[in-house]
Amino acid sequence: MTVQIALVLTIAAVATYLFISEKLRMDIVALLVLLALALTGLVTPSEALSGFSNEATITVAAMFILAAAIENTGALSAIARLLGKSRSPTVFLLVLFGLLGLIAPFVSNTAVVAVFIPIVISASMHIGMSPTKALIPLSYVSQMTGVWTLIGTSTNLIVNSVAKDLGHRGFTMFEFLPLGLICWLAGCLYLLTLGRWLLPSQGQSDLPAAQESGHYVTELTVAEDSACLDQTLEQADIGRKYKAYVLQLWRGSERMWAPKAQQLQQGDVLLVRGRWSQLEKLKEDLGLQYHRRPAAQRGGGQDKPQDETEREKELMVEVMVAPNSPLLGRSIQALDRRLPRHQAILGIQRRGQIIRDHLDGVRLAVGDILLVLMRESDVGRLRSTNAIIVLSERTAPLPRDWRATFALAVMALVVVSAALGWTSIAISALAGAVALVLTRCVDVDNLYDAIDGRILLLMACLLPLGTAVSSSGAAQFIVDHTVGLASGWGPHVVLAVLYLMALVLGELMSNAAAAVLLTPIAISTARLVDADPTPFLIAVTFSASTSFLTPVGYQTNTMVYSAGGYRFSDFVKVGGPLNLVFWLAGVVFIPVFWPF
């Protein structure tokens, strides 16, 4: 082992640990990797910065804009309304799988799932099927179909880019489609049979209504005319009557110990947990008020009082903190400042944890669901940011005009021009993004909110790692001591071992990071068995782009995990066999379409 190999392996090992442990954000880890590679001389300065001008990075940035335009114009929602016409759970799932096959290969998985979550919840309950039977399949099939095309996921583009840098020819737009269709058919058949049986009938939150997906924590203030004034919490009997639980009691800035024994006074703030319908009943019966932050602390400045007409237009909206949201780790006030005037965050729901502090002190995490009181006309503004996902179906309808058709036409033209070789995918996607911005399918003011900067930084910083792993000899060293041990059994066995290795690594860390690390290993593996590298690169692409085993293995899994009230074990039970199905399909059919 040379010094260079030791340095690369050390950097890769530390990065893998940080990715798995989540001690630092993914983009920060990627930046540290880039700096370590440059400072140790493993890559030249030009190689270190090459990821920022890489075709894959430019393409992903443009595809974010294209996806935002399709979502903002209502094009996806119009197509998804077909789900409401289903008459049985089986037909419902078949229509869902078909729609995802039409949309997900060309639009970001995250955008597709964000649009479909509230529609799936509402439509499935309309036909008498538990939403938990559909939300995990929604995530899984969006991943299955996202691997059909080169632009379906950022992981596909990363593998293609690193492979081309290492001398491979690269992949065409629809080169993954034959294997993708086989895996999709096998996966859909599994989800309609054994997977459907393994899925829970109800989530942990029971999902009693589409707009009430679990227990919220909210703050209620004792008003001067409250019915519970001068009573203790035991006398008010809140727990028995309303199935709600007072977690804390504040009097001014002082937290009161033994809150059940305290006589309630005007201005006391109760931190209460329960189902929203019961919290509403509690508020009305006892004459309590929602505790709102002073207007000076919010982004809109001093709010003007609303008249009765304005109040009538307010509604409750459920929003979920998205994966890679810029709000992660920040206080709830960071979201509060992003909301329009007169809006208020009333409650928060967090999986696996009961919040016991003032809402203002809560640090937001992926999957947190917040209940926001806001005007119906302002709901559309929330869709234009990648910070949150609107879950509630009781939202303002998206405008339906020529822009929806135009956005779909532009996306189709981007795909066709790249597939026919008229221009590169980066230029095609960039031209499409500019066209959609000029026609205001994407609001210029919200343009940069549509682009997930963390993903771009992650890609740009990690791409040089692929170069270092290959040029230092680390890839060959890893191959010799892992998959190389099976080289005597032939290329088919080596392919199976490499696919399994990629599958495990992709579940443990970022898909992008796994793709960057494994692409040079795939090429070195091909050299070891004297075979074409293409089948091994295909195995890395499919394994890194499909993560079914855990709710944190892929962004869409995290989204439905929170929205559906699942347990961690639900993903293990349903996703484990599905991973096995994909592994077997890959080992059998990859050599058929891409011979060794």
Side-chain angles (χ1 to χ4, degrees):
M1 180 188 296
T2 65
V3 174
Q4 281 191 324
I5 292 177
L7 285 173
V8 170
L9 293 180
T10 300
I11 293 171
V14 172
T16 301
Y17 168 74
L18 291 175
F19 278 126
I20 295 173
S21 65
E22 298 183 344
K23 291 182 179 297
L24 295 174
R25 284 178 10 184
M26 288 192 302
D27 50 339
I28 300 300
V29 175
L31 190 58
L32 291 174
V33 168
L34 178 64
L35 290 173
L37 293 173
L39 293 174
T40 55
L42 292 169
V43 295
T44 65
S46 60
E47 288 174 335
L49 300 176
S50 62
F52 292 92
S53 60
N54 191 277
E55 182 177 348
T57 308
I58 302 299
T59 302
V60 170
M63 293 305 297
F64 275 128
I65 299 175
L66 290 168
I70 290 178
E71 183 180 354
N72 293 344
T73 57
L76 286 184
S77 298
I79 296 174
R81 288 191 187 95
L82 291 173
L83 286 171
K85 299 181 180 180
S86 304
R87 291 292 180 268
S88 70
T90 301
V91 173
F92 174 87
L93 291 174
L94 287 173
V95 173
L96 175 62
F97 298 164
L99 288 173
L100 292 172
L102 293 174
I103 301 170
F106 312 106
V107 182
S108 162
N109 309 75
T110 306
V112 172
V113 172
V115 171
F116 271 74
I117 281 177
I119 297 171
V120 165
I121 291 175
S122 178
S124 59
M125 294 187 71
H126 179 72
I127 62 173
M129 180 177 73
S130 172
T132 55
K133 292 287 189 182
L135 288 174
I136 280 182
L138 167 64
S139 174
Y140 287 174
V141 177
S142 73
Q143 295 177 50
M144 296 178 199
T145 52
V147 81
W148 287 6
T149 66
L150 182 62
I151 63 173
T153 69
S154 59
T155 309
N156 297 0
L157 290 166
I158 289 173
V159 173
N160 181 67
S161 176
V162 175
K164 289 173 70 174
D165 289 343
L166 298 179
H168 188 263
R169 60 175 175 80
F171 298 104
T172 60
M173 176 66 74
F174 293 101
E175 187 162 353
F176 306 133
L177 185 59
L179 179 60
L181 284 173
I182 291 174
C183 290
W184 175 70
L185 289 171
C188 290
L189 181 62
Y190 165 79
L191 290 172
L192 288 170
T193 53
L194 177 61
R196 187 171 168 185
W197 177 72
L198 292 172
L199 283 165
S201 296
Q202 289 183 319
Q204 195 169 337
S205 61
D206 298 333
L207 289 168
Q211 66 269 32
E212 184 182 1
S213 58
H215 291 83
Y216 281 94
V217 173
T218 190
E219 293 173 331
L220 297 173
T221 302
V222 179
E224 61 180 353
D225 57 349
S226 295
C228 60
L229 204 61
D230 297 326
Q231 289 185 356
T232 65
L233 293 175
E234 287 183 337
Q235 292 172 334
D237 202 13
I238 291 175
R240 186 183 65 82
K241 288 182 178 178
Y242 304 99
K243 304 298 182 185
Y245 304 93
V246 178
L247 304 173
Q248 299 290 351
L249 168 63
W250 282 277
R251 185 162 294 156
S253 59
E254 181 184 0
R255 185 172 67 174
M256 308 301 294
W257 299 103
K260 291 184 178 180
Q262 296 290 332
Q263 283 192 329
L264 296 176
Q265 301 178 13
Q266 181 182 348
D268 284 353
V269 177
L270 304 174
L271 189 72
V272 190
R273 181 176 186 265
R275 293 205 178 280
W276 196 255
S277 58
Q278 294 298 316
L279 294 176
E280 280 276 300
K281 191 172 187 299
L282 165 65
K283 169 183 169 289
E284 294 300 324
D285 289 353
L286 300 185
L288 303 173
Q289 298 176 351
Y290 292 123
H291 180 65
R292 302 198 187 198
R293 286 161 292 284
Q297 297 180 15
R298 304 182 57 207
Q302 293 293 335
D303 291 351
K304 298 179 181 179
Q306 293 174 269
D307 58 30
E308 292 300 321
T309 304
E310 288 177 320
R311 291 193 185 98
E312 291 174 0
K313 296 179 181 178
E314 286 188 328
L315 48 75
M316 299 288 190
V317 179
E318 280 185 318
V319 300
M320 182 170 66
V321 178
N324 298 314
S325 170
L327 298 172
L328 294 179
R330 302 180 65 184
S331 71
I332 204 169
Q333 290 178 323
L335 173 59
D336 206 19
R337 286 191 292 268
R338 286 174 174 250
L339 297 174
R341 290 184 177 183
H342 309 305
Q343 317 312 313
I345 298 172
L346 301 181
I348 183 171
Q349 175 191 153
R350 175 170 293 175
R351 292 295 313 281
Q353 181 180 346
I354 298 177
I355 295 169
R356 297 180 180 276
D357 201 358
H358 267 306
L359 297 190
D360 282 345
V362 173
R363 297 288 172 177
L364 295 173
V366 175
D368 282 353
I369 299 176
L370 301 107
L371 199 65
V372 183
L373 180 66
M374 64 187 309
R375 292 174 180 171
E376 186 176 9
S377 58
D378 287 328
V379 176
R381 291 181 57 182
L382 297 183
R383 293 191 178 95
S384 63
T385 175
N386 61 357
I388 57 176
I389 299 163
V390 177
L391 293 181
S392 173
E393 78 283 358
R394 297 184 298 167
T395 58
L398 291 169
R400 299 178 64 183
D401 55 17
W402 60 271
R403 288 182 179 83
T405 303
F406 181 75
L408 289 173
V410 168
M411 176 62 83
L413 188 59
V414 167
V415 173
V416 170
S417 60
L420 296 180
W422 296 346
T423 184
S424 70
I425 181 59
I427 299 301
S428 175
L430 199 57
V434 171
L436 293 174
V437 171
L438 292 177
T439 53
R440 300 193 67 82
C441 291
V442 179
D443 191 342
V444 178
D445 294 335
N446 298 317
L447 178 63
Y448 294 101
D449 284 338
I451 301 174
D452 194 335
R454 294 190 183 192
I455 294 295
L456 297 184
L457 185 61
L458 182 70
M459 291 179 60
C461 292
L462 286 181
L463 285 172
L465 179 59
T467 302
V469 169
S470 177
S471 61
S472 66
Q476 189 63 49
F477 179 85
I478 294 172
V479 168
D480 290 341
H481 293 81
T482 53
V483 293
L485 301 177
S487 59
W489 297 88
H492 287 82
V493 174
V494 173
L495 177 71
V497 174
L498 178 66
Y499 196 117
L500 192 61
M501 180 193 302
L503 197 65
V504 172
L505 196 59
E507 293 287 355
L508 295 176
M509 61 189 295
S510 158
N511 303 85
V516 169
L517 280 174
L518 290 166
T519 300
I521 292 175
I523 292 178
S524 294
T525 300
R527 293 175 185 153
L528 179 68
V529 296
D530 194 24
D532 188 325
T534 301
F536 299 97
L537 291 171
I538 294 293
V540 169
T541 302
F542 270 71
S543 59
S545 298
T546 52
S547 300
F548 307 128
L549 192 60
T550 70
V552 295
Y554 203 83
Q555 292 180 351
T556 56
N557 289 357
T558 305
M559 293 162 65
V560 300
Y561 174 60
S562 298
Y566 293 105
R567 295 178 174 86
F568 192 101
S569 59
D570 293 329
F571 285 84
V572 177
K573 287 191 299 184
V574 182
L578 186 56
N579 271 336
L580 180 62
V581 168
F582 266 58
W583 178 65
L584 291 173
V587 171
V588 171
F589 290 102
I590 286 177
V592 174
F593 297 111
W594 299 275
F596 294 112

